[in-house]
């Protein structure tokens, strides 16, 4: 198997084009996205490492098989996140389990981001937000809200990217984030959070 | 939870090995183009179907308002309840629903909100419907289905025929064959191909002229039972609604004129009775009693009187 340097400065789109000519190039994309996607599907609730590997494999195989459907107008990361999301949902359906979320803690930075980005006056988080409490609360959220909050605050995706990943209108992304934060604040322990 | 402890190359090597081992190849670009074209084609077809449904619905609703419901039904509501194009309205809703679904499944369909897509779908369907209706396609579409799907689809003209080809109730759809006694007796052929002799003595001049035009018309009258046989006495002649594209304005004028003539039957009978009574009171004995005006008593006139 060819060894491909990891410090590849080419854009994702360039590598996609190169992969269509030489399939070994796909390894570069796998290296770029494996860790990110593994974290993402773990956050969606695929907890076991072996399961994560299965979902990841299927994600990359599907991505490779559908490489010609990738269009340059879309960010490659959005495209592959969409595939990973769909594969994770397929995995949940096969296992007949409800995605419960598994928020791989990213410390207070993420939680502060949620708090500081609260665009509704009624959703104002306390500075001393408790990481454990919010992790539990997020796991209890409706999946549709948790998905957008994960993408927004843990994967640091823009609204447009979230729209492309979840295949929903941009307006709905804003609405879901707003409602998700509202629901989050309502399920959080009132002793730990001041609204 | 430990994440990422497995070597990252595991997934990479496994995936690349599977690609080689299972001989996995990227699907051809043309496959996606065909798929996208297929989705857009389905969208277009559903839009056309909903437009056709919209066109026939327009056609029915616009024409029905000029139908002489007073002659066939107890009220406009009961009439509309019976003639509303339910099938087409349902087809319109279902087709518009599928059009929404197909648009949503185009490459960028997800970017648009439900309201934007649903609104655009309804606007496209209605615009298409108006366009088809404007060029007379709605009539032909409805007529075509009625002719080629007998027993399955009832076209508007067939439904109108059902309402008007009721000789025992005083309604007929006829074409003049000849006038046996000008201004008094005519030979007509109804839509079932039966030749009938009718009494046209009570018809007003515009009615007679319309009958003489030789086109298919709706005839409103009364069946009078004589000693030996029944006679159909014509009281009103109205243009057939479903023959060609007639401007709505003309439909409106024709309908108003038809209603006015029905009133005239009643007014004429009253005037004649009043004149005879006045003459009798004045002692004039030479005046003969007014003729029996059967048309003043027809159901439609009674309803109009109310």
């Amino acid at each position: 198997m060819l060894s491909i340097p990891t410090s590849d400065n080419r854009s994702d789109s360039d590598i996609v084009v190169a992969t269509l000519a030489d399939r070994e190039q796909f390894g570069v994309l796998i290296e770029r996205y494996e860790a990110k996607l593994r974290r993402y599907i773990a956050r969606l609730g695929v907890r076991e490492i072996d399961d994560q590997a299965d979902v990841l494999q299927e994600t990359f195989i599907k991505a490779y098989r559908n490489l010609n459907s990738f269009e340059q107008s879309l960010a490659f990361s959005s495209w592959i996140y969409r595939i990973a999301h769909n594969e994770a949902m397929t995995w949940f359906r096969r296992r007949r389990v409800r995605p419960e979320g598994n928020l791989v803690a990213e410390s207070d930075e993420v939680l502060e981001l949620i708090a500081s980005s609260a665009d509704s006056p009624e959703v104002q988080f306390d500075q001393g937000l408790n990481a454990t409490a919010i992790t539990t609360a997020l796991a209890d959220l409706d999946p549709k809200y948790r998905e957008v909050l994960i993408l927004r605050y843990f994967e640091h995706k823009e609204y447009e990217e979230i729209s492309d990943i979840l295949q929903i209108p941009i307006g709905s992304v804003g609405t879901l984030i707003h409602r998700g934060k509202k629901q989050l604040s309502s399920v959080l322990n009132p002793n730990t959070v001041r609204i | 939870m430990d994440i990422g402890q497995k070597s990252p190359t595991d997934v990479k090597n496994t995936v690349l090995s599977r690609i080689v081992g299972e001989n996995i190849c990227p699907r051809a670009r043309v496959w996606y183009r065909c798929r996208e074209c297929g989705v857009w084609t389905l969208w277009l077809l559903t839009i056309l179907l909903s437009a056709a449904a919209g066109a026939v619905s327009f056609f029915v609703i616009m024409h029905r308002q000029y139908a002489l419901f007073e002659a066939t039904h107890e009220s406009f509501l009961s009439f509309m309840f019976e003639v509303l194009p339910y099938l087409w309205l349902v087809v319109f809703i279902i087709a518009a629903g599928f059009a929404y679904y197909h648009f949503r499944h185009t490459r960028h369909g997800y970017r648009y909100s439900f309201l934007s897509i649903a609104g655009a779908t309804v606007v496209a369907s209605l615009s298409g419907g108006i366009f088809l209706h404007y060029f007379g396609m709605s009539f032909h579409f409805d007529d075509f289905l009625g002719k080629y799907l007998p027993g399955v689809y009832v076209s508007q003209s067939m439904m109108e025929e059902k309402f008007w080809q009721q000789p025992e109730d005083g309604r007929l759809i006829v074409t003049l064959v000849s006038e046996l006694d000008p201004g008094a007796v005519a030979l007509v052929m109804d839509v079932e191909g039966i030749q009938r002799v009718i009494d046209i003595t009570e018809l007003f001049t515009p009615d007679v002229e319309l009958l003489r035009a030789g086109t298919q018309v709706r005839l409103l009258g009364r069946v009078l039972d004589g000693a030996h046989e029944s006679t159909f006495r014509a009281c009103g002649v109205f243009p057939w609604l479903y023959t060609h594209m007639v401007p709505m304005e003309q439909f409106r004028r024709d309908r108003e004129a038809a209603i006015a003539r029905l009133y005239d039957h009643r007014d004429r009978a009253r005037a004649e009775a009043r004149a005879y009574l006045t003459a009798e009171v004045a002692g004039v004995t030479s005046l003969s009693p007014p003729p029996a005006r059967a048309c003043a008593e027809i159901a439609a006139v009674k309803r109009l009187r109310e």
Side-chain angles (χ1 to χ4, degrees):
Chain A
M1 197 159 286
L2 275 174
S3 168
I4 294 157
T6 48
S7 56
D8 197 323
N9 290 326
R10 289 176 296 169
S11 70
D12 291 340
S13 300
D14 289 342
I15 300 171
V16 168
V17 174
T19 303
L20 288 168
D22 172 18
R23 63 184 167 205
E24 294 296 330
Q25 296 288 317
F26 194 56
V28 181
L29 289 172
I30 297 176
E31 281 176 7
R32 276 189 191 178
Y33 283 95
E34 185 189 341
K36 289 178 193 170
L37 294 180
R38 186 185 286 275
R39 266 200 308 276
Y40 177 54
I41 60 178
R43 283 168 178 150
L44 287 175
V46 184
R47 292 164 189 255
E48 300 300 324
I49 288 181
D50 287 343
D51 294 334
Q52 291 168 8
D54 288 345
V55 174
L56 270 179
Q57 267 188 42
E58 289 310 313
T59 299
F60 285 120
I61 292 287
K62 197 159 272 182
Y64 182 75
R65 208 190 295 274
N66 293 290
L67 221 46
N68 272 319
S69 76
F70 166 67
E71 50 175 320
Q72 308 287 332
S73 64
L74 201 70
F76 180 81
S77 83
S78 301
W79 184 74
I80 202 156
Y81 262 78
R82 179 198 297 176
I83 298 173
H85 179 270
N86 291 343
E87 280 306 306
M89 293 306 124
T90 305
W91 185 86
F92 287 124
R93 269 198 299 276
R94 281 202 198 118
R95 295 291 179 99
R96 290 178 184 163
V97 291
R98 182 177 175 272
E100 288 180 348
N102 175 31
L103 299 171
V104 182
E106 285 217 346
S107 76
D108 296 336
E109 189 191 338
V110 169
L111 305 174
E112 276 171 24
L113 185 62
I114 295 178
S116 64
S117 310
D119 48 6
S120 162
E122 69 266 25
V123 184
Q124 293 296 321
F125 287 81
D126 192 44
Q127 287 296 317
L129 209 57
N130 184 302
T132 312
I134 205 164
T135 301
T136 312
L138 270 165
D140 287 339
L141 281 187
D142 281 350
K144 62 181 176 183
Y145 297 139
R146 189 171 56 245
E147 282 170 2
V148 286
L149 290 182
I150 287 171
L151 284 167
R152 181 76 183 115
Y153 298 112
F154 290 81
E155 301 297 330
H156 310 291
K157 298 291 182 192
E158 297 299 326
Y159 279 30
E160 198 177 339
E161 291 175 295
I162 298 171
S163 157
D164 290 333
I165 293 166
L166 298 178
Q167 297 199 295
I168 53 174
I170 292 179
S172 301
V173 173
T175 307
L176 288 172
I177 288 176
H178 176 74
R179 288 182 187 164
K181 288 201 286 191
K182 222 171 172 182
Q183 195 182 67
L184 183 65
S185 67
S186 69
V187 296
L188 276 168
N189 187 334
N191 295 328
T192 56
V193 177
R194 192 180 69 217
I195 299 169
Chain B
M1 163 118 326
D2 52 23
I3 287 163
Q5 286 182 353
K6 223 173 183 180
S7 166
T9 53
D10 283 351
V11 171
K12 176 186 160 188
N13 288 334
T14 312
V15 169
L16 291 178
S17 301
R18 274 187 65 188
I19 288 172
V20 175
E22 296 172 24
N23 198 22
I24 298 169
C25 295
R27 231 180 235 139
R29 196 173 289 273
V30 70
W31 190 90
Y32 297 100
R33 287 202 179 136
C34 287
R35 186 179 168 278
E36 188 70 1
C37 284
V39 175
W40 279 110
T41 306
L42 285 172
W43 174 80
L44 188 64
L45 287 175
T46 44
I47 285 287
L48 284 176
L49 181 60
S50 60
V56 179
S57 302
F58 279 135
F59 171 68
V60 174
I61 293 166
M62 290 182 81
H63 277 71
R64 287 299 184 189
Q65 62 185 318
Y66 300 109
L68 204 68
F69 69 89
E70 294 90 341
T72 57
H73 288 73
E74 286 299 318
S75 68
F76 184 68
L77 272 182
S78 66
F79 169 71
M80 280 311 280
F81 187 75
E82 191 166 349
V83 301
L84 266 181
Y86 298 104
L87 173 71
W88 288 109
L89 293 173
V90 170
V91 169
F92 178 83
I93 291 166
I94 292 174
F98 273 106
Y100 167 83
Y101 175 85
H102 293 311
F103 185 87
R104 183 74 175 72
H105 285 81
T106 56
R107 193 178 279 262
H108 297 297
Y110 65 87
R111 290 182 180 171
Y112 303 93
S113 68
F114 169 79
L115 280 180
S116 316
I117 302 177
T121 302
V122 170
V123 167
S125 303
L126 290 180
S127 308
I130 291 168
F131 180 82
L132 290 174
H133 176 64
Y134 182 77
F135 286 100
M137 295 304 291
S138 47
F139 165 72
H140 292 296
F141 195 54
D142 176 65
D143 200 44
F144 176 85
L145 289 178
K147 273 181 189 155
Y148 293 100
L149 291 175
V152 177
Y153 181 79
V154 180
S155 68
Q156 297 310 307
S157 59
M158 286 160 85
M159 194 180 285
E160 189 73 356
E161 276 181 20
K162 189 188 87 179
F163 291 153
W164 279 87
Q165 183 63 23
Q166 303 283 351
E168 63 282 4
D169 290 339
R171 296 191 297 274
L172 275 175
I173 302 165
V174 301
T175 308
L176 180 72
V177 176
S178 66
E179 270 189 86
L180 302 176
D181 180 0
V185 182
L187 178 67
V188 294
M189 185 186 282
D190 69 20
V191 281
E192 289 168 351
I194 301 168
Q195 290 203 339
R196 298 170 185 273
V197 175
I198 59 165
D199 179 342
I200 57 170
T201 49
E202 283 196 48
L203 286 182
F204 292 108
T205 309
D207 292 317
V208 177
E209 283 171 359
L210 193 54
L211 185 67
R212 282 175 182 158
T215 55
Q216 185 169 282
V217 290
R218 290 173 291 172
L219 211 59
L220 184 64
R222 276 190 79 181
V223 179
L224 303 175
D225 292 322
H228 303 292
E229 58 182 338
S230 304
T231 312
F232 188 96
R233 180 166 294 178
C235 300
V237 181
F238 314 110
W240 178 242
L241 267 176
Y242 298 99
T243 49
H244 55 282
M245 288 295 289
V246 177
M248 290 291 120
E249 183 59 26
Q250 191 178 326
F251 275 132
R252 191 185 60 76
R253 280 200 308 268
D254 287 349
R255 184 183 149 72
E256 281 175 3
I259 299 285
R261 290 201 297 276
L262 286 176
Y263 273 115
D264 287 347
H265 279 295
R266 182 196 62 185
D267 296 344
R268 179 170 64 182
R270 280 181 182 172
E272 285 172 349
R274 205 177 296 121
Y276 180 71
L277 190 65
T278 310
E280 245 191 2
V281 169
V284 181
T285 53
S286 59
L287 205 64
S288 54
R293 294 293 185 189
C295 292
E297 296 299 321
I298 60 173
V301 175
K302 280 182 184 169
R303 270 199 283 278
L304 286 168
R305 194 180 291 161
E306 287 162 2

